[in-house]
Amino acid sequence: MQYKVEILMATYNGAAYLEEQLQSLFSQTYTNWVLLAGDDGSTDETMQILQQYQKNYPDKIKLLPPAEKKLGSTFNFSRLLQTTAEDYIMLCDQDDVWVTSKIELQMQQMLKMETQHGKDFPLLVCSDLAIVDEQLQTLQPSFFRYRKQATSILNDSYKLIAHSTITGCTMLLNKAAVKIAVPIKINNFQQDHWISMHVAYYGKISCIDLPLVLYRQHSNNVVGASKINFNYLIS
C-alpha cells in the first residue's frame, strides 16, 4: 500500500529549471503523490508552466491562489505547510532534480519510524544531496561530506540552532511534525532550519546517507551549498 504524499513547492521566477524538476517527480517509483505549488509573484513563465501541468495532470497538480503580498521563500513555504492536510509532506525546490527512488526510500524509513514511535510523534526523514551545476554535472557527490557535516547532531536541537544541517528539499515530514513546526514566526531562519530545530526538540530525525537530490547550483539560488566556516556560525 502506498500512502499519499503531498509535495510542497514554493516557486518564484523558476521557469528555467522548473520542468526538469516536475519531470523528476513524474519519474518517481513511488506514484501516490500530489504536488501543491505556491507562487510568490513570478514575472517569468513559472505560472504558465504550472498551469499547463495542472491542465494536463489535474489529479496531480494543485495551485494555491496568489498571496496578498510577496512572502519570500520562508513564508511561502510556511503558507504551504499551513494549507496541507495530508499525513505525509515533502518540501521541494523549483530548480533541483529528484532521484527516482527518493519518495520510496524516504517513505520506507518514515513507516519504520512510525512503527517504533507512533504516528502522533513528530518525525522527519532527510537525506544527503549531490551538488551539481546548471547542466546537472556533479560538482560534489556528497553535500554532507563537502560541508564536513556530522549527521550525529541531527537530534540535538541546540546544536542545530547554530548549524543548519538539513536541507529542506530532502525533508519528509509526518503530520505531527508539521503541527509543531508551523507557522514559521520569524524570518531570521530559513524554513528548513526552523523545522529541523523543532522536530529535533519535540520528535525524532532520521537521515538516509544517500544523495537523493541533485542540488543545482546557479546564480539565482536563494541558499546554496556554501561551506561551514567561522562567519557562518557567528551569523
Side-chain angles (χ1 to χ4, degrees), residues 18-35:
L18 179 56
E19 289 197 73
E20 278 187 289
Q21 175 63 292
L22 292 172
Q23 286 303 313
S24 78
L25 301 184
F26 281 95
S27 299
Q28 291 293 303
T29 56
Y30 192 102
T31 57
N32 191 10
W33 58 265
V34 62
L35 175 72

mmCIF file of all heavy atoms in Angstrom, residues 18-35:
data_model
loop_
_atom_site.group_PDB
_atom_site.id
_atom_site.type_symbol
_atom_site.label_atom_id
_atom_site.label_comp_id
_atom_site.label_asym_id
_atom_site.label_seq_id
_atom_site.Cartn_x
_atom_site.Cartn_y
_atom_site.Cartn_z
ATOM 1 N N LEU A 18 12.248 24.588 -13.923
ATOM 2 C CA LEU A 18 11.055 24.020 -13.294
ATOM 3 C C LEU A 18 10.595 22.726 -13.955
ATOM 4 O O LEU A 18 10.233 21.766 -13.267
ATOM 5 C CB LEU A 18 9.930 25.059 -13.319
ATOM 6 C CG LEU A 18 8.580 24.650 -12.728
ATOM 7 C CD1 LEU A 18 8.731 24.186 -11.282
ATOM 8 C CD2 LEU A 18 7.595 25.821 -12.816
ATOM 9 N N GLU A 19 10.606 22.678 -15.277
ATOM 10 C CA GLU A 19 10.089 21.479 -15.948
ATOM 11 C C GLU A 19 10.948 20.254 -15.661
ATOM 12 O O GLU A 19 10.420 19.144 -15.538
ATOM 13 C CB GLU A 19 9.967 21.727 -17.449
ATOM 14 C CG GLU A 19 8.831 22.681 -17.800
ATOM 15 C CD GLU A 19 8.453 22.618 -19.265
ATOM 16 O OE1 GLU A 19 7.837 21.607 -19.675
ATOM 17 O OE2 GLU A 19 8.773 23.570 -19.996
ATOM 18 N N GLU A 20 12.260 20.437 -15.543
ATOM 19 C CA GLU A 20 13.118 19.299 -15.188
ATOM 20 C C GLU A 20 12.758 18.754 -13.811
ATOM 21 O O GLU A 20 12.737 17.536 -13.600
ATOM 22 C CB GLU A 20 14.588 19.708 -15.218
ATOM 23 C CG GLU A 20 15.220 19.705 -16.583
ATOM 24 C CD GLU A 20 16.714 19.945 -16.528
ATOM 25 O OE1 GLU A 20 17.119 21.079 -16.222
ATOM 26 O OE2 GLU A 20 17.480 18.990 -16.787
ATOM 27 N N GLN A 21 12.468 19.634 -12.867
ATOM 28 C CA GLN A 21 12.072 19.180 -11.541
ATOM 29 C C GLN A 21 10.728 18.456 -11.598
ATOM 30 O O GLN A 21 10.560 17.392 -10.998
ATOM 31 C CB GLN A 21 11.997 20.372 -10.572
ATOM 32 C CG GLN A 21 11.489 20.048 -9.183
ATOM 33 C CD GLN A 21 12.379 19.084 -8.419
ATOM 34 O OE1 GLN A 21 12.493 17.905 -8.766
ATOM 35 N NE2 GLN A 21 13.009 19.569 -7.365
ATOM 36 N N LEU A 22 9.786 19.030 -12.308
ATOM 37 C CA LEU A 22 8.468 18.398 -12.410
ATOM 38 C C LEU A 22 8.573 17.022 -13.062
ATOM 39 O O LEU A 22 7.928 16.062 -12.607
ATOM 40 C CB LEU A 22 7.520 19.290 -13.208
ATOM 41 C CG LEU A 22 7.115 20.605 -12.530
ATOM 42 C CD1 LEU A 22 6.334 21.489 -13.508
ATOM 43 C CD2 LEU A 22 6.304 20.361 -11.273
ATOM 44 N N GLN A 23 9.383 16.905 -14.101
ATOM 45 C CA GLN A 23 9.536 15.608 -14.745
ATOM 46 C C GLN A 23 10.173 14.584 -13.810
ATOM 47 O O GLN A 23 9.850 13.389 -13.865
ATOM 48 C CB GLN A 23 10.361 15.754 -16.026
ATOM 49 C CG GLN A 23 9.606 16.402 -17.176
ATOM 50 C CD GLN A 23 8.338 15.642 -17.527
ATOM 51 O OE1 GLN A 23 8.331 14.416 -17.662
ATOM 52 N NE2 GLN A 23 7.238 16.374 -17.660
ATOM 53 N N SER A 24 11.065 15.035 -12.928
ATOM 54 C CA SER A 24 11.670 14.100 -11.977
ATOM 55 C C SER A 24 10.642 13.587 -10.970
ATOM 56 O O SER A 24 10.769 12.473 -10.465
ATOM 57 C CB SER A 24 12.871 14.734 -11.267
ATOM 58 O OG SER A 24 12.497 15.630 -10.239
ATOM 59 N N LEU A 25 9.622 14.399 -10.678
ATOM 60 C CA LEU A 25 8.538 13.931 -9.813
ATOM 61 C C LEU A 25 7.714 12.864 -10.524
ATOM 62 O O LEU A 25 7.358 11.839 -9.929
ATOM 63 C CB LEU A 25 7.636 15.095 -9.398
ATOM 64 C CG LEU A 25 8.291 16.254 -8.650
ATOM 65 C CD1 LEU A 25 7.240 17.272 -8.217
ATOM 66 C CD2 LEU A 25 9.078 15.780 -7.456
ATOM 67 N N PHE A 26 7.419 13.092 -11.785
ATOM 68 C CA PHE A 26 6.629 12.114 -12.545
ATOM 69 C C PHE A 26 7.420 10.839 -12.829
ATOM 70 O O PHE A 26 6.839 9.828 -13.224
ATOM 71 C CB PHE A 26 6.126 12.737 -13.844
ATOM 72 C CG PHE A 26 4.927 13.623 -13.658
ATOM 73 C CD1 PHE A 26 5.067 14.979 -13.514
ATOM 74 C CD2 PHE A 26 3.647 13.077 -13.596
ATOM 75 C CE1 PHE A 26 3.963 15.809 -13.326
ATOM 76 C CE2 PHE A 26 2.534 13.886 -13.406
ATOM 77 C CZ PHE A 26 2.683 15.258 -13.277
ATOM 78 N N SER A 27 8.728 10.858 -12.621
ATOM 79 C CA SER A 27 9.563 9.669 -12.827
ATOM 80 C C SER A 27 9.758 8.865 -11.546
ATOM 81 O O SER A 27 10.475 7.848 -11.565
ATOM 82 C CB SER A 27 10.935 10.085 -13.376
ATOM 83 O OG SER A 27 10.814 10.730 -14.624
ATOM 84 N N GLN A 28 9.146 9.276 -10.457
ATOM 85 C CA GLN A 28 9.331 8.588 -9.178
ATOM 86 C C GLN A 28 8.758 7.170 -9.202
ATOM 87 O O GLN A 28 7.695 6.917 -9.776
ATOM 88 C CB GLN A 28 8.669 9.387 -8.049
ATOM 89 C CG GLN A 28 9.344 10.699 -7.719
ATOM 90 C CD GLN A 28 10.714 10.499 -7.115
ATOM 91 O OE1 GLN A 28 10.887 9.829 -6.098
ATOM 92 N NE2 GLN A 28 11.726 11.083 -7.764
ATOM 93 N N THR A 29 9.461 6.256 -8.534
ATOM 94 C CA THR A 29 8.957 4.887 -8.400
ATOM 95 C C THR A 29 7.755 4.835 -7.471
ATOM 96 O O THR A 29 6.942 3.909 -7.548
ATOM 97 C CB THR A 29 10.058 3.954 -7.857
ATOM 98 O OG1 THR A 29 10.554 4.480 -6.615
ATOM 99 C CG2 THR A 29 11.213 3.865 -8.848
ATOM 100 N N TYR A 30 7.657 5.798 -6.566
ATOM 101 C CA TYR A 30 6.504 5.926 -5.659
ATOM 102 C C TYR A 30 5.530 6.876 -6.340
ATOM 103 O O TYR A 30 5.845 8.054 -6.551
ATOM 104 C CB TYR A 30 6.970 6.477 -4.321
ATOM 105 C CG TYR A 30 5.966 6.407 -3.185
ATOM 106 C CD1 TYR A 30 6.085 5.418 -2.204
ATOM 107 C CD2 TYR A 30 4.924 7.323 -3.080
ATOM 108 C CE1 TYR A 30 5.183 5.363 -1.150
ATOM 109 C CE2 TYR A 30 4.019 7.259 -2.034
ATOM 110 C CZ TYR A 30 4.159 6.278 -1.074
ATOM 111 O OH TYR A 30 3.257 6.218 -0.027
ATOM 112 N N THR A 31 4.358 6.394 -6.683
ATOM 113 C CA THR A 31 3.466 7.150 -7.568
ATOM 114 C C THR A 31 2.298 7.835 -6.868
ATOM 115 O O THR A 31 1.620 8.658 -7.488
ATOM 116 C CB THR A 31 2.907 6.220 -8.653
ATOM 117 O OG1 THR A 31 2.225 5.120 -8.026
ATOM 118 C CG2 THR A 31 4.026 5.688 -9.539
ATOM 119 N N ASN A 32 2.056 7.523 -5.587
ATOM 120 C CA ASN A 32 0.902 8.110 -4.901
ATOM 121 C C ASN A 32 1.298 9.438 -4.259
ATOM 122 O O ASN A 32 1.463 9.544 -3.048
ATOM 123 C CB ASN A 32 0.351 7.153 -3.847
ATOM 124 C CG ASN A 32 -1.008 7.621 -3.323
ATOM 125 O OD1 ASN A 32 -1.618 8.545 -3.857
ATOM 126 N ND2 ASN A 32 -1.478 6.971 -2.267
ATOM 127 N N TRP A 33 1.450 10.450 -5.093
ATOM 128 C CA TRP A 33 1.813 11.785 -4.614
ATOM 129 C C TRP A 33 0.975 12.824 -5.347
ATOM 130 O O TRP A 33 0.424 12.591 -6.423
ATOM 131 C CB TRP A 33 3.308 12.062 -4.841
ATOM 132 C CG TRP A 33 3.758 11.961 -6.273
ATOM 133 C CD1 TRP A 33 4.306 10.863 -6.891
ATOM 134 C CD2 TRP A 33 3.673 12.984 -7.285
ATOM 135 N NE1 TRP A 33 4.566 11.130 -8.208
ATOM 136 C CE2 TRP A 33 4.197 12.437 -8.478
ATOM 137 C CE3 TRP A 33 3.211 14.296 -7.292
ATOM 138 C CZ2 TRP A 33 4.259 13.156 -9.671
ATOM 139 C CZ3 TRP A 33 3.277 15.023 -8.470
ATOM 140 C CH2 TRP A 33 3.790 14.464 -9.641
ATOM 141 N N VAL A 34 0.900 13.996 -4.729
ATOM 142 C CA VAL A 34 0.263 15.156 -5.347
ATOM 143 C C VAL A 34 1.135 16.363 -5.039
ATOM 144 O O VAL A 34 1.746 16.442 -3.972
ATOM 145 C CB VAL A 34 -1.179 15.352 -4.836
ATOM 146 C CG1 VAL A 34 -1.200 15.610 -3.341
ATOM 147 C CG2 VAL A 34 -1.880 16.472 -5.593
ATOM 148 N N LEU A 35 1.236 17.283 -5.980
ATOM 149 C CA LEU A 35 2.054 18.480 -5.806
ATOM 150 C C LEU A 35 1.158 19.678 -5.520
ATOM 151 O O LEU A 35 0.195 19.941 -6.244
ATOM 152 C CB LEU A 35 2.871 18.757 -7.072
ATOM 153 C CG LEU A 35 3.691 20.062 -7.063
ATOM 154 C CD1 LEU A 35 4.881 19.931 -6.123
ATOM 155 C CD2 LEU A 35 4.154 20.433 -8.461
#
